[in-house]
Amino acid sequence: MMLSAVMEDYIKAIYHLHKENEERVRTSEIADELDVTAPTVTSMLDKLEERNLIERKKYKGVSLTAHGKRVALEIIRHHRLLEAYLTEHLDYSWAEVHEEADRLEHHISDEFVTSIAAALDDPETDPHGDPIPNSTLELPDGGPGIALSEFEEDTIVIVEQVSDRDSEVLEYLADHEITPGTELTVREVAPFGMITVLAGDNDQPVSLPQHIAHHVRVATVEPAQVFY
Amino acid sequence: MMLSAVMEDYIKAIYHLHKENEERVRTSEIADELDVTAPTVTSMLDKLEERNLIERKKYKGVSLTAHGKRVALEIIRHHRLLEAYLTEHLDYSWAEVHEEADRLEHHISDEFVTSIAAALDDPETDPHGDPIPNSTLELPDGGPGIALSEFEEDTIVIVEQVSDRDSEVLEYLADHEITPGTELTVREVAPFGMITVLAGDNDQPVSLPQHIAHHVRVATVEPAQVFY
DNA sequence: TTTAGGGATTAGGGATGTCTAATTTAAGTA
DNA sequence: TACTTAAATTAGACATCCCTAATCCCTAAA
Ligand SMILES: [Mn+2]
Ligand SMILES: [Mn+2]
Ligand SMILES: [Mn+2]
Ligand SMILES: [Mn+2]
């Protein structure tokens, strides 16, 4: 059963939207995500249902079947391994990789995937901190972290993952050393939600509007790791 | 002007057939090369002509315009750099690279091309000995070599290039050390054209039917390089 | 319980790339 | 020169993926 690149993008979009919503994914959400019109989505959903990739309640939305989930995880594995490989071995900046990976993910063979995974020593996360499904498509455990926007002043946290969607934001974050692994100290939380942090070795604090801070996911530092 | 992957394959096919034939390339040749029917080719030729990629005399065949040639060389650069990169950095065998490169050549960005060219230190030939157009699309000079099938007994030659089309033949040649750079001694030329050579450090002679030997291109060894 | 509004689907059409069957053309042969 | 035949093109169709316009369905508010 060969899937087109377009079908794979629909499956991946449904998977990601599913994560965010828990519930069924609606036609209009998919249309927004993929920048197509609602009727286009409806007709694609017909085809995906025929192929047993999704389950559907008409007018109510869709969810992935076990088969659909496998396809999604395979594409996501491709995407994140590509991002890691481009960053590690081909000098791509942290902010540029997403677009290239989003195209190539549909066109690489199993052999290519195996080769880059081996060259990277089977990494567990991509450059943005997102988990990479292993060769049997299981996701490494470790929760999704907590949004930076949840924290109060004077908390110390470690960045686990940043959203890889907007490359301008990504560039801003990278420039200010807000990358997976960096320790952040929350300095100020403004009433309108803007959060100001001290990042890594940087002297200058960085301010992030709430909607940006929402896409930086962090872990709290264990007491044992804080040295007074 | 964005070209589809399919259009790019037509342009590349026309370029390669042009090389072999010198004359105009005919519909049926393209159909054979790309494994489609003649009417399919005709309708694609209409589109390529509209886009000024080919010149055409109806019922007589086509040739590439300057613009078409540039497109062809760009795809060929992608293809051969990919082959070199997959072989050098991702452990692909000499025989497996062609298929992967034939797909990816249409989907990589300029940035990707630049990165792999840099990682390879701007190579002049691919693993099969084919010349790689440089970043301004000029082919390095150095002729196409002479077919091994042209030589007589007791000649010493160096392999310059082998056809990368048939991966089984390629595997056979690689297994017997007939690769670009290897020195060959022609041992016997049978009346029906089969040629038997001693390759590299190998003790066992290797026999190649005429049609295979025709696709191994070699250079004669300069007198100065032969040590008595 | 009816109805308005918004989201989803159906209807119909366009572009791309492929096919088979029918027709036309070129070119060699008689 | 006329005929034959192989190659190329035209005609018409289908699958995929997209669109706009029209219609249908669900739900929440009156
Ligand atoms: Mn994609
Ligand atoms: Mn990522
Ligand atoms: Mn190709
Ligand atoms: Mn090659």
Side-chain angles (χ1 to χ4, degrees):
Chain A
M1 195 213 267
M2 270 299 296
L3 299 182
S4 69
V6 173
M7 281 185 177
E8 290 179 349
D9 274 338
Y10 277 82
I11 295 294
K12 199 178 67 163
I14 293 167
Y15 181 91
H16 285 312
L17 291 166
H18 216 307
K19 281 275 117 109
E20 283 169 28
N21 282 355
E22 211 52 61
E23 311 169 27
R24 270 191 289 263
V25 177
R26 287 156 5 76
T27 300
S28 53
E29 295 178 285
I30 302 169
D32 277 0
E33 175 78 12
L34 295 179
D35 224 12
V36 295
T37 60
T40 301
V41 174
T42 298
S43 80
M44 179 58 81
L45 293 182
D46 288 341
K47 288 169 209 157
L48 297 179
E49 194 181 17
E50 256 170 47
R51 299 214 195 200
N52 279 306
L53 293 159
I54 60 173
E55 250 160 40
R56 200 173 177 202
K57 292 222 171 123
K58 273 217 168 168
Y59 291 95
K60 295 297 186 53
V62 299
S63 59
L64 292 176
T65 61
H67 180 198
K69 253 172 228 149
R70 268 201 313 282
V71 170
L73 286 169
E74 197 171 336
I75 304 302
I76 288 167
R77 175 169 162 82
H78 291 193
H79 183 98
R80 294 182 181 164
L81 280 174
L82 279 164
E83 287 191 339
Y85 190 85
L86 294 171
T87 303
E88 291 274 320
H89 292 280
L90 288 174
D91 259 349
Y92 273 65
S93 88
W94 209 59
E96 310 169 305
V97 290
H98 182 77
E99 202 189 348
E100 191 89 43
D102 229 17
R103 232 175 324 103
L104 291 182
E105 64 188 2
H106 310 289
H107 302 290
I108 59 180
S109 68
D110 286 354
E111 161 130 37
F112 189 95
V113 175
T114 304
S115 288
I116 62 175
L120 291 163
D121 214 6
D122 291 310
E124 295 214 329
T125 59
D126 80 2
H128 311 101
D130 288 305
I132 300 177
N134 68 18
S135 61
T136 57
L137 303 182
E138 287 143 331
L139 281 166
D141 39 59
I146 304 161
L148 177 59
S149 49
E150 303 288 311
F151 287 81
E152 301 194 346
E153 291 174 20
D154 293 323
T155 323
I156 298 178
V157 296
I158 294 199
V159 177
E160 298 225 303
Q161 180 258 319
V162 297
S163 164
D164 68 351
R165 291 329 208 26
D166 183 330
S167 75
E168 283 182 18
V169 171
L170 223 39
E171 203 142 6
Y172 180 83
L173 294 176
D175 281 352
H176 295 82
E177 285 191 45
I178 300 178
T179 61
T182 313
E183 189 178 279
L184 302 181
T185 308
V186 179
R187 267 293 148 80
E188 191 188 345
V189 180
F192 46 90
M194 190 173 79
I195 193 163
T196 301
V197 299
L198 222 58
D201 300 335
N202 246 327
D203 282 347
Q204 295 300 316
V206 188
S207 296
L208 306 172
Q210 190 170 35
H211 72 280
I212 305 283
H214 190 68
H215 289 290
V216 176
R217 303 195 76 89
V218 302
T220 51
V221 173
E222 294 300 317
Q225 294 182 243
V226 184
F227 306 104
Y228 298 94
Chain B
M1 190 213 270
M2 270 298 296
L3 299 182
S4 69
V6 173
M7 281 184 177
E8 290 179 349
D9 273 338
Y10 277 83
I11 295 293
K12 199 177 69 161
I14 293 167
Y15 181 91
H16 285 313
L17 292 166
H18 217 306
K19 281 273 118 115
E20 284 170 27
N21 282 357
E22 213 50 63
E23 312 169 27
R24 270 191 290 264
V25 177
R26 284 142 32 66
T27 301
S28 53
E29 295 178 285
I30 302 169
D32 277 0
E33 175 79 12
L34 295 178
D35 223 13
V36 295
T37 60
T40 301
V41 174
T42 298
S43 81
M44 180 57 80
L45 294 181
D46 288 341
K47 288 168 208 158
L48 297 178
E49 193 181 17
E50 257 171 46
R51 300 215 195 198
N52 280 306
L53 293 159
I54 60 173
E55 251 159 41
R56 200 173 177 202
K57 293 222 171 123
K58 273 215 168 168
Y59 291 96
K60 295 297 186 57
V62 300
S63 59
L64 293 176
T65 61
H67 180 197
K69 255 171 227 148
R70 267 200 315 281
V71 170
L73 286 168
E74 197 171 335
I75 304 302
I76 289 167
R77 175 169 162 81
H78 291 191
H79 184 98
R80 293 181 181 163
L81 280 174
L82 279 164
E83 288 191 339
Y85 190 86
L86 294 172
T87 303
E88 291 275 319
H89 292 280
L90 287 174
D91 258 350
Y92 272 66
S93 89
W94 209 58
E96 312 169 303
V97 289
H98 183 76
E99 202 188 350
E100 191 90 43
D102 228 17
R103 230 176 324 104
L104 292 182
E105 64 188 1
H106 310 290
H107 302 291
I108 59 180
S109 68
D110 286 352
E111 161 131 36
F112 189 95
V113 175
T114 305
S115 289
I116 62 175
L120 292 163
D121 214 6
D122 291 310
E124 295 215 328
T125 60
D126 81 2
H128 311 102
D130 288 304
I132 301 177
N134 68 18
S135 61
T136 57
L137 302 183
E138 288 142 330
L139 281 166
D141 37 61
I146 304 161
L148 177 58
S149 49
E150 304 287 311
F151 287 82
E152 304 194 344
E153 291 175 18
D154 292 323
T155 324
I156 297 177
V157 297
I158 293 198
V159 177
E160 299 225 303
Q161 181 257 320
V162 297
S163 163
D164 67 351
R165 290 330 210 23
D166 184 330
S167 76
E168 282 183 18
V169 171
L170 223 39
E171 204 142 4
Y172 180 82
L173 293 176
D175 281 352
H176 295 82
E177 284 190 48
I178 301 178
T179 61
T182 312
E183 189 178 279
L184 302 181
T185 308
V186 179
R187 267 295 148 81
E188 191 189 344
V189 180
F192 47 90
M194 191 173 78
I195 193 164
T196 302
V197 299
L198 222 58
D201 299 335
N202 246 326
D203 282 345
Q204 295 299 317
V206 189
S207 296
L208 306 171
Q210 190 170 34
H211 74 279
I212 305 286
H214 190 69
H215 288 290
V216 176
R217 305 196 74 88
V218 302
T220 51
V221 175
E222 295 300 317
Q225 292 183 246
V226 182
F227 306 105
Y228 297 94

